[in-house]
Amino acid sequence: MENKQKALNKSDLSADRSMMIKPAKKRNKMMYVLILPLVVVSGLVFANREIKNESKMLSSKPLSAAQSDAEKKKWVVSPDGIKFKKWESSPTGKNVHVSAAKIRKDINEFTDMEAVVTALTLPPGSRLGFGVMARINGADYIVNFEAEKSQLAPLYSLKINDKIMVRSRNMSYAPKYSYPIVSAEYVERDNKVIFKRLPRKGGC
């Protein structure tokens, strides 16, 4: 009897073990089935991220001459382009171009331009930050300053009819404004430097 009981106990234990092993195998299969899609999805997400990064790098490359021409042609027929061309052919647009031509050589060569301050505020609705109106070579211009807070005090001391020497590498115009916009980089008054544009972070 004792031997039979032992045999029965052994058979029960082996049956229990087989029952435990089967669920474990099923569990492993289930885990594999669950993990595999996660691995695939993670791979796809990573690949997608790499593609996006690569496309950003490609898009940051400078445009070729042909691409630049194509973009310009596309812009010319856009609503903004049509509006700009219409403004250019208007009396105001033509006057702005004439004024811009007067100082283009000075802008290109980064030479001193003698200016007389005519107003301490910019035209209503301007969103150019701090600037003044000034007359240069017989024409009126918006002189804009990309100034840090620490540089504003000498600029705030400017008065109407002050004579200043201005240097700039950049001039622009837009339909919103009736004057060319001169971005001042260096300004003197009474032979003293009152403004020098700081290099931009990560740029010049």
Side-chain angles (χ1 to χ4, degrees):
M1 283 291 290
E2 190 175 338
N3 290 336
K4 281 183 180 180
Q5 187 66 38
K6 284 180 180 179
L8 284 170
N9 288 342
K10 282 180 182 178
S11 65
D12 289 342
L13 285 169
S14 61
D16 289 342
R17 284 196 196 99
S18 65
M19 286 176 73
M20 289 172 66
I21 290 166
K22 283 177 182 177
K25 285 181 178 177
K26 283 182 181 178
R27 208 177 298 119
N28 289 340
K29 283 181 182 178
M30 286 293 289
M31 289 292 287
Y32 180 77
V33 169
L34 289 169
I35 290 169
L36 184 61
L38 288 173
V39 172
V40 172
V41 170
S42 300
L44 289 171
V45 169
F46 180 76
N48 191 36
R49 192 180 299 141
E50 289 296 309
I51 290 165
K52 283 182 179 176
N53 289 341
E54 189 176 347
S55 65
K56 280 181 184 176
M57 288 171 66
L58 289 171
S59 63
S60 64
K61 290 180 180 178
L63 296 175
S64 66
Q67 287 173 323
S68 182
D69 286 342
E71 287 296 318
K72 187 177 179 181
K73 286 176 182 176
K74 194 188 296 182
W75 179 80
V76 166
V77 296
S78 71
D80 285 341
I82 292 167
K83 183 180 176 182
F84 184 79
K85 295 301 286 184
K86 188 177 179 181
W87 172 79
E88 275 191 315
S89 61
S90 71
T92 301
K94 287 177 180 177
N95 286 338
V96 168
H97 276 284
V98 169
S99 298
K102 288 185 175 184
I103 62 170
R104 187 164 285 116
K105 187 173 183 289
D106 294 308
I107 296 290
N108 292 338
E109 297 178 1
F110 194 57
T111 54
D112 288 342
M113 297 181 286
E114 186 178 284
V116 178
V117 178
T118 57
L120 302 176
T121 56
L122 298 183
S126 298
R127 293 185 179 182
L128 297 170
F130 178 73
V132 298
M133 297 297 301
R135 183 168 283 269
I136 305 170
N137 197 15
D140 292 321
Y141 301 85
I142 292 172
V143 180
N144 181 48
F145 303 93
E146 291 183 24
E148 301 290 332
K149 284 185 179 179
S150 58
Q151 298 177 296
L152 289 173
L155 296 175
Y156 284 153
S157 70
L158 286 170
K159 297 179 180 66
I160 291 174
N161 293 325
D162 272 358
K163 288 184 179 180
I164 56 176
M165 302 299 291
V166 181
R167 288 185 213 162
S168 172
R169 288 189 180 90
N170 183 42
M171 175 175 53
S172 58
Y173 35 82
K176 184 177 179 179
Y177 303 102
S178 301
Y179 311 94
I181 303 159
V182 176
S183 297
E185 295 187 40
Y186 180 91
V187 180
E188 282 185 11
R189 180 182 57 186
D190 299 328
N191 296 319
K192 292 180 182 178
V193 179
I194 62 169
F195 176 73
K196 191 174 182 181
R197 186 173 70 84
L198 299 174
R200 292 174 185 169
K201 293 177 181 178
C204 55

